[in-house]
Amino acid sequence: MSTSAGDEAATLPTTYTPADVEGELYERWVERGYFSADAKSDKPPFTIVIPPPNVTGSLHLGHAFEHTLIDALVRRKRMQGYEALWQPGMDHAGIATQNVVERELAKEGKSRHDLGREAFVERVWKWKAESGGQISGQMRRLGDGVDWSRERFTMDEGLSQAVQTIFKKLFDDELIYRAERIINWCPRCLTAISDIEVEYQDDDGELVSIRYGEGENSIVVATTRAETMLGDTAVAVHPEDERYKHLVGTEIELPLTGRRIPIVADAHVDPEFGTGAVKVTPAHDPNDFEIGQRHGLPNIAVMDEHAVITVHGPFLGLDRLEARSAIVAALRAEGRIVAEKRPYVHSVGHCSRCKTTIEPRLSMQWWVKVGPLAKAAGDAVRDGKVKIHPQEMEKRYFDWVDNLHDWCISRQLWWGHRIPVWYGPNGEVVCVGPDEQPPAGEGWHQDTDVLDTWFSSGLWPFSTLGWPEQTESLAKFYPNSVLVTGYDILFFWVARMMMFGLYAMDGTPPFHTIALHGMVRDQNGKKMSKSFGNVVNPLDWMDKYGSDALRFTLARGANPGVDVPIGEDWVQAARNFANKIWNATRFALMNGATVEGPLPAPEELTAADRWILSRLNSTVAEVDGLYEDYQFSKLSEALYHFAWDEVFDWYVELSKTTLAKGGPQADAARRVLGEVLDVTLRLLHPIVPFVTETLWTTLTGAESVVIADWPKDSGFRDAGAEAEIATLQQVVTEVRRFRTDQGLKPGQRVPAALELDGTALAAHEDAIRSLLRLTAPEEGFSATASLPVAGATVSLDLSGTIDVAAERKRLAKDLAAAEKEKAQTTAKLGNEAFLAKAPDEVVAKIKGRQEAAEADIARITAQLAALPQG
C-alpha cells in the first residue's frame, strides 16, 4: 500500500458531511477566479445567460432545477477547454417590485402618491440595496459557477442605455407606435399587462339574456358582463342569418340609457352561439373593438382605472361587480331579462401578479409592431440557424410567433425604464436616444409610462455584454451557445430575445440552441402551489442532505421538455449515492490507489482491470453523447449505474482479492483503481461538484477538479474481458439469489466446491469465494445442493445452516399457492364468454398474473430441487 495514499485517506472523515465543505469550497472557487470568463482568451467561447430571476425572488425548486442543468453544461465545457461564461444577473421585475414597496408604504399609512415619483423610485432603489437579491446567496449555496464579476441588473446604467438605444431604433424604423387600443388592464396594479401575463381560470359567473327593443323589432343578446351594456354602441348579427336580415341597418333602443344603437352585420358573429346576436361594446372588449373599427362605431368607456362605473346616474360610482347585480335587477324590473343561468362556468382572465380579474379597457398605449420581427424569429428556426430541443417543441414555438399580435409595451408604473419620449406644447412627439438631450422649455414633458419588464429582459443576451458598444465581450461571447429555459416561458422571454437579438445584431440570433425543460412537480406529479401545501424550499433539502444530493436528484429527473416529479425520498437516495462515492474513494485511498505514472499495458492487467477500463471508456463516450443531446436524466442514470453498480459494487470488490495477494498485479490494480476513480469523479463533477472536488483533490493532489481536463475516450475496449466478467457476475448473482431464497444471512459462510475448469471462470475462484462467502471444502464435505451456472457448477453443503424440513414445507406452501393462481387465471383466459365481454386492460392484467404465477412455479421448483434430499 502506498503510504502517501493511506495518509491522504486518513485526512478524509469517515463520513461525508456536506455542510463542512460546501460553503468553504465555493468561496475558494470564486476567489481563485475559476468562474471568470476572459474575453481576450484564445479558447473557443461557450456562453449561457442565466434566466434573470426577479429581484424580489428567492430560490425555489424551479430555479434549483434550471440552475443545476446550466451549471452542469458550463462546468463540463470549462473542463473541455472552452472559455465558459455563465452570465448572472437579476430582473427589476416592474410590477412585482413596485407591489412589494407599495405594501411596505401601506404599513406606514402611505401610498406612492404621498412620496411622489422621484422619492418613490429612490425608495425602491433603497429596498433593492437592502433586501433585494437574496437569491444571489442562495445560488452560491447551490454551487452555481457564474461569473460574479459580470453580474448585471436590468436597470443598471449599461442596460438602461441598451433599452433607450433599441427603443429609439425601433421608433425611427416605425416599429414602435402609440395608439388607442383595447388592452388587458389590472384594476389592482393600475397598469396594462400583456396577453402572456394573463392567467385564465374557470370561474363561476352568470349568463343573462337581455331583450333590446320592443315588439317584433326586439332582439335578445346574452352576456356574462351585464355592466358593460352601458357602453354598447351596436348589436351585431351574422350577414347570412335569415332571422335578422330585416333588422340590419335599423336602430334599436338600448335599455336603461335611452340611447338608440344600430344593428350591424358582421362575419365575426357566430350564428350558432346563443341567439346569434351579440352586444357590441368597443371600449371594453377586444373583439367588439375590431367590430367597432369596421363599422365606424363610437367607443364609450363606462369604467375608470379602478373598474368603477363612470356613467349613467343610478350606477355611477359602483364597482363593476356591484354594478352587474344592480343593472340586472333594473333590467329585471323592466321585464327585459329573458333568461338567467347561474352558476355559469366560463374562462376568466386574471392578473398573474395579484390574481385580480382583468378588465379589457380602451387605452392609449405604446406598441411594438411585431410582424417583421416575429417573421424573422420564426425563419431563424425554420432555416436551421437556431435549433429547438426537443424538436417536438418547435410546433409550439411556431404557433406562437406566427400568430403574434402587436405587443403593448407601456406600463402605468413608476418603477422601470421610463419611455424616452417627450411631448411638446404644440403636439410635438420626440423620441430621445441615449446620447441626445431631451427638448427643454415650457410645455415639454416626458411620457409618464415605463416599459414592460420583458422589453429589457429581451435584450439580455447582448445588453449584458456591453451592447450597444462594440465591446470585446460582445465580440467574444455573442451569440450564446445555448439557452436553457422552461417551456413555460417560451413565449414570455424566448420569443422576445429572438426578435430583439435578430433585429439589433444584424440578423445574428441570440443563441444557437434553445434547450427546453419542464416544470418541477411534487412526487405525485402535481403542480407545486402554496394552495396545495406541497411547495418545497430547496434550502431545507440542501441543509438536510447537501447541495449535491438535490442537484443529482434534479438532473436525474430531467428529460427534455418533460415535467419533473420530485420527492424527499429521492433526495435521500441521492445523498446515499454521495456517501457511496465517499466511502469507495476512501477505501481506495486506504489501499493505495494512485494516479501516478502511466497505466500498465493490457497484458499486465487482470481481466477485471481490463473489464473496468473498457467499461470506463464506453461510459465516457456514452455520457459525452448524452450531454450533446441535453439528455440529463439518461446521463445521470448512466453515471449512477456505472459508479455504483460497476465500480463500487463489482470492481472495488474484485480488486480486494488482487490487492490481498500483493505483487505486480496488486500494484497494477492500485493504478487502475486510481484511474477509474479519477475519471469517474471528473465525469460526476458537473452534477455533484462539492463531493467530487473534495475527493478528487485528495486522490490526485491537484489544485481543483473545476479546472481539470474533461475525460476523453481513449478507445480502449476489451470485449473478451467484458464477457468474462459478465459470466462471473452471472454466477455470483445466481448463487446470491439462491442463498437469499434459502434464508442464509449475507455474511454467513458456507462450505462449497467449485467446478470451474474449462470455463472463463477458472482464474476467478478466489474472487468468487470472496464475493459469495464460500469456504473451501474440508474433509467429510458432502454437497447438499448443486447449482449449474454458465458452464460451471457450485456445490454447497447446507447441512447445519438451514432447517431443510421447514424450508421444504414453506416452499411447498408457496408452490401450491402459485399453482392455484395459475389454474384460476388459465381458466379465466380459457373462458370465451369472459374474453368476449372483458375490457382489454382486464384481460391483460389476468395474463400478467398468469405469467407471474408460471415464473413463481419455475423458481420454487428449482429451489426445491436444490435442497438437500432426505
Side-chain angles (χ1 to χ4, degrees), residues 839-858:
D840 291 345
E841 59 268 23
V842 172
V843 175
K845 188 174 181 181
I846 293 172
K847 284 182 178 177
R849 285 170 50 197
Q850 183 189 52
E851 291 169 1
E854 289 172 344
D856 285 343
I857 290 169

Side-chain angles (χ1 to χ4, degrees), residues 498-544:
M498 286 284 284
M499 290 191 296
F500 280 165
L502 289 160
Y503 174 72
M505 299 301 292
D506 299 321
T508 302
F511 19 73
H512 298 301
T513 302
I514 302 167
L516 297 170
H517 58 72
M519 298 170 64
V520 178
R521 297 181 177 269
D522 71 12
Q523 59 190 6
N524 300 312
K526 194 172 185 180
K527 182 179 178 180
M528 288 192 173
S529 164
K530 290 180 181 177
S531 60
F532 296 152
N534 61 352
V535 173
V536 174
N537 183 345
L539 295 173
D540 292 341
W541 280 352
M542 287 192 279
D543 288 342
K544 193 170 183 180

Side-chain angles (χ1 to χ4, degrees), residues 376-394:
D379 290 346
V381 175
R382 288 189 173 93
D383 297 345
K385 288 183 181 178
V386 178
K387 296 188 182 302
I388 294 180
H389 186 87
Q391 191 173 359
E392 54 266 26
M393 285 285 178
E394 281 187 2

Side-chain angles (χ1 to χ4, degrees), residues 354-389:
C354 68
K355 311 309 177 187
T356 301
T357 300
I358 288 301
E359 188 61 47
R361 184 168 187 253
L362 188 64
S363 179
M364 183 67 76
Q365 301 285 344
W366 285 95
W367 304 81
V368 171
K369 188 184 296 183
V370 299
L373 303 176
K375 182 181 184 304
D379 290 346
V381 175
R382 288 189 173 93
D383 297 345
K385 288 183 181 178
V386 178
K387 296 188 182 302
I388 294 180
H389 186 87

Side-chain angles (χ1 to χ4, degrees), residues 231-452:
D232 286 0
T233 56
V235 171
V237 297
H238 193 276
E240 304 301 322
D241 195 330
E242 294 294 336
R243 293 170 295 177
Y244 303 118
K245 274 192 173 182
H246 67 291
L247 294 177
V248 173
T250 67
E251 288 188 342
I252 199 167
E253 184 174 328
L254 178 65
L256 304 181
T257 67
R259 282 193 293 114
R260 295 190 67 79
I261 58 175
I263 297 175
V264 300
D266 195 280
H268 172 76
V269 179
D270 179 2
E272 302 298 322
F273 180 76
T275 64
V278 297
K279 58 192 286 298
V280 182
T281 321
H284 291 279
D285 183 274
N287 293 321
D288 292 4
F289 178 79
E290 297 296 333
I291 293 174
Q293 292 289 295
R294 287 193 288 272
H295 297 276
L297 300 175
N299 302 315
I300 300 177
V302 299
M303 284 179 242
D304 66 11
E305 66 269 24
H306 297 281
V308 170
I309 301 297
T310 58
V311 299
H312 203 69
F315 313 110
L316 187 66
L318 293 181
D319 171 82
R320 55 184 166 169
L321 298 181
E322 296 172 331
R324 183 177 302 170
S325 300
I327 288 170
V328 170
L331 291 167
R332 191 183 297 114
E334 290 191 3
R336 293 192 174 276
I337 300 296
V338 175
E340 297 180 68
K341 185 176 181 180
R342 295 188 186 87
Y344 178 73
V345 178
H346 61 132
S347 182
V348 178
H350 296 260
C351 173
S352 62
R353 297 293 179 189
C354 68
K355 311 309 177 187
T356 301
T357 300
I358 288 301
E359 188 61 47
R361 184 168 187 253
L362 188 64
S363 179
M364 183 67 76
Q365 301 285 344
W366 285 95
W367 304 81
V368 171
K369 188 184 296 183
V370 299
L373 303 176
K375 182 181 184 304
D379 290 346
V381 175
R382 288 189 173 93
D383 297 345
K385 288 183 181 178
V386 178
K387 296 188 182 302
I388 294 180
H389 186 87
Q391 191 173 359
E392 54 266 26
M393 285 285 178
E394 281 187 2
K395 182 181 184 302
R396 205 182 257 208
Y397 176 79
F398 292 135
D399 285 347
W400 181 255
V401 298
D402 292 348
N403 297 286
L404 267 180
H405 299 296
D406 283 2
W407 171 21
C408 176
I409 56 171
S410 45
R411 298 292 181 267
Q412 289 65 54
L413 304 171
W414 288 356
W415 173 245
H417 293 282
R418 194 165 174 180
I419 288 176
V421 170
W422 270 255
Y423 305 105
N426 299 311
E428 301 96 333
V429 178
V430 177
C431 179
V432 178
D435 300 321
E436 300 171 349
Q437 290 299 317
E442 187 176 347
W444 284 93
H445 64 280
Q446 186 178 359
D447 196 299
T448 57
D449 288 352
V450 300
L451 288 164
D452 177 11

